[in-house]
């Protein structure tokens, strides 16, 4: 089985950002700063997701689903349950992959200086609400209306993938949709729904992390 490359991991990390979003009371119009501040969470969070991949070389869209988890300060896990179970995650500057059915594991280091890993700079900026870093690495287009908010990001330099990430949600609410589009036309869409948080989820996250490590 082909091991996942850094680009695949980075796309997953962008998704996991949504697990950090907390729900606030709705108000008229969001600002970029308010959305950034809501990216932070001190409790373990679980997000249910549905994923659709539309690929140029495949006639029918690929569909999957599962859960996204985050645990402060630096642990994030994606548990894909359909069409088959696969675990992916990051802990600090390390990334992990585990396919239980094939018993395949992969580990690697995150390198934000690598053009393929620019997404990681995006991750670091959002989890730390670092607006300056976000704008230094990405061209950010933020649009807020009474009915929704929209954040579009494109790498400033060093990335030839033509990557565009679009995150959107209702005013004062967590992200509901993430789109990851490549220059070749490949598109991944994620629909998100906050599922649970608290001590029980923290226990679950730690269990999944041990599974990723092979403990």
């Amino acid at each position: 089985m082909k091991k996942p490359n850094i680009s695949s991991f980075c796309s997953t990390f962008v998704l996991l950002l949504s697990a950090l979003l907390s729900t606030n009371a709705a108000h008229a119009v969001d600002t970029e700063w308010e959305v950034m501040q809501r990216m932070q969470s001190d409790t373990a969070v679980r997000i249910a997701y549905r994923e659709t991949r539309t690929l140029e070389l495949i006639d029918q869209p690929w569909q999957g689903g599962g859960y996204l988890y985050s645990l402060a300060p630096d642990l994030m896990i994606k548990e894909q349950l359909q069409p088959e179970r696969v675990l992916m995650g990051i802990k600090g500057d390390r990334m992990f992959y585990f396919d239980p059915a094939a018993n395949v594991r992969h580990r690697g280091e995150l390198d934000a200086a690598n053009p393929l890993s620019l997404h990681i700079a995006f991750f670091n900026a959002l989890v730390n609400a670092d607006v300056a870093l976000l704008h230094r690495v990405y061209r950010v287009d933020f649009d807020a209306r009474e009915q929704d908010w929209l954040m579009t990001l494109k790498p400033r330099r060093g990335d030839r993938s033509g990557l565009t990430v679009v995150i959107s949600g209702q005013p004062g609410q967590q992200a509901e949709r993430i789109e990851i589009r490549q220059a070749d036309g490949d598109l991944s869409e994620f629909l998100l729904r906050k599922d649970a948080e608290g001590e029980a989820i923290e226990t679950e996250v730690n269990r999944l992390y041990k599974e990723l490590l092979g403990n």
Side-chain angles (χ1 to χ4, degrees):
M1 176 176 293
K2 183 180 179 181
K3 292 183 178 180
N5 58 31
I6 292 179
S7 296
S8 298
F9 275 112
C10 290
S11 296
T12 299
F13 302 152
V14 172
L15 298 176
L16 289 170
L17 295 174
S18 63
L20 300 178
L21 294 171
S22 60
T23 302
N24 292 346
H27 53 282
V29 177
D30 270 303
T31 67
E32 180 183 332
W33 174 254
E34 288 171 329
V35 168
M36 290 285 289
Q37 290 300 308
R38 291 201 302 271
M39 299 291 179
Q40 299 181 357
S41 175
D42 294 328
T43 63
V45 180
R46 182 174 68 194
I47 299 288
Y49 78 89
R50 293 295 301 172
E51 177 183 2
T52 301
R53 298 177 193 168
T54 304
L55 309 176
E56 288 292 309
L57 300 179
I58 300 178
D59 294 334
Q60 298 295 325
W62 180 94
Q63 294 187 328
Y67 293 106
L68 311 173
Y69 299 84
S70 73
L71 178 60
D74 61 357
L75 177 58
M76 289 184 162
I77 294 175
K78 176 185 178 185
E79 183 184 25
Q80 175 186 292
L81 296 176
Q82 290 90 29
E84 63 275 329
R85 186 170 183 267
V86 176
L87 290 177
M88 289 172 278
I90 59 170
K91 172 68 173 175
D93 60 356
R94 300 286 294 173
M95 60 183 179
F96 306 89
Y97 173 92
F98 177 44
D99 181 340
N103 195 28
V104 172
R105 296 184 185 276
H106 175 75
R107 298 187 183 190
E109 293 185 1
L110 303 180
D111 181 9
N114 188 317
L116 292 176
S117 299
L118 278 175
H119 315 57
I120 304 307
F122 165 50
F123 162 74
N124 287 333
L126 289 188
V127 297
N128 293 297
D130 191 338
V131 177
L133 174 59
L134 188 70
H135 281 266
R136 186 164 65 250
V137 179
Y138 279 87
R139 298 194 304 272
V140 181
D141 182 9
F142 184 82
D143 184 23
R145 299 171 294 183
E146 290 189 3
Q147 67 270 30
D148 61 16
W149 58 264
L150 189 75
M151 184 183 290
T152 303
L153 304 125
K154 295 182 179 180
R156 285 188 177 278
R157 62 181 182 274
D159 184 86
R160 299 180 180 179
S161 67
L163 175 78
T164 299
V165 178
V166 180
I167 307 173
S168 59
Q170 297 182 27
Q173 301 296 316
Q174 66 186 58
E176 295 180 340
R177 183 187 184 95
I178 295 179
E179 294 185 6
I180 303 174
R181 186 180 297 275
Q182 305 287 343
D184 59 8
D186 289 353
L187 172 68
S188 294
E189 298 178 87
F190 298 83
L191 299 180
L192 311 168
R193 176 179 55 82
K194 188 173 182 179
D195 183 68
E197 63 182 323
E199 292 184 4
I201 300 304
E202 181 174 348
T203 299
E204 190 171 355
V205 173
N206 288 324
R207 177 184 60 79
L208 291 172
Y209 180 54
K210 289 182 179 179
E211 186 178 359
L212 271 171
L213 295 178
N215 295 342

